[in-house]
Amino acid sequence: MRQRCQGPGCAELLPEAGVRGGRPRRYCSERCRSSSRRFLALLDRCLARRGARLETMAEERHLLRSAAYTVANEARGLAAVLDAEAGRPGWEQPAWWDRARPELGRPGAPYTRAALELLEAAHLAVAAAVAADRAPGDGWAEIGAALGVSEDTAARRYRRAADTPPPDR
C-alpha cells in the first residue's frame, strides 16, 4: 500500500519503496519536509507559550486567593471587635472613652482606621482579580464593564509592567 506525504496540507502519494530497502520516505519533496519542520517548531512555541500562560494564571489565582484571605481576616477582625463591644454596657463602649488622646498614645477614630485597612485590603484584592482575569486573555473592555468604568480607565488603573505580552506573539 502506498503511503501519503506527511507534509502539512500535502496528500501526495509517495513512490513505492525500492528493492534495495532502506528507510521509507515520509515527504514527497524537500519543500514538504521543511514545511513540516517549520510547522512543528511553531507548534512547540505555541505549546511553550500556553504552558507559560497556564503557570502565570495559576500564580495570579494564588495571589488573588491570598488577597481574598487578607480581606476576610481584616473583616473578621473588625467584626470580632464590634461583637465584643456589643456585649458591654453602653457606658463602656469605646465611643465614650476611646477618643484621641495623644498624651496616652491613643489615636482617634479607631473604627475609621479599621475600615480603611479593610478597604485597602479590598483594593489589593480587586487589583489581584484584574491580574487573574488578564492572565488568560480577558480584555480591558470586559474588565472595565465588570468594574463599571471605561476600558481606558480600567487599563490606566490596573495595568502593570507584567501585563505586557510575551515575545513571539
Side-chain angles (χ1 to χ4, degrees):
M1 181 167 152
R2 290 177 62 181
Q3 299 293 321
R4 296 205 176 263
C5 177
Q6 293 180 6
C10 183
E12 200 170 307
L13 287 173
L14 297 175
E16 298 253 351
V19 202
R20 295 184 2 187
R23 185 171 57 179
R25 291 180 65 173
R26 295 175 59 193
Y27 305 102
C28 63
S29 67
E30 183 62 32
R31 193 183 83 176
C32 275
R33 189 177 84 157
S34 295
S35 176
S36 178
R37 285 183 177 172
R38 283 193 308 270
F39 176 75
L40 291 175
L42 175 68
L43 186 62
D44 285 343
R45 284 194 308 269
C46 288
L47 289 175
R49 275 198 310 255
R50 181 173 184 240
R53 185 177 291 148
L54 289 175
E55 288 176 12
T56 302
M57 288 169 39
E59 182 179 323
E60 295 296 344
R61 279 195 310 270
H62 173 72
L63 293 174
L64 176 59
R65 187 172 42 250
S66 297
Y69 279 123
T70 301
V71 170
N73 286 335
E74 291 285 336
R76 204 173 298 120
L78 179 58
V81 167
L82 292 171
D83 284 344
E85 291 173 357
R88 296 182 188 162
W91 54 273
E92 286 185 5
Q93 295 291 325
W96 295 102
W97 54 267
D98 200 12
R99 295 283 179 224
R101 292 192 136 159
E103 69 275 3
L104 298 178
R106 280 195 226 160
Y111 298 129
T112 305
R113 290 178 187 278
L116 283 176
E117 289 175 12
L118 178 61
L119 183 63
E120 179 64 28
H123 283 302
L124 293 175
V126 169
V130 169
D133 284 339
R134 288 286 297 159
D138 283 350
W140 287 114
E142 292 90 4
I143 292 171
L147 292 171
V149 297
S150 72
E151 162 182 357
D152 292 336
T153 302
R156 203 170 32 254
R157 284 184 191 167
Y158 296 103
R159 180 173 281 136
R160 310 184 307 192
D163 194 31
T164 57
D168 291 333
R169 223 169 196 207

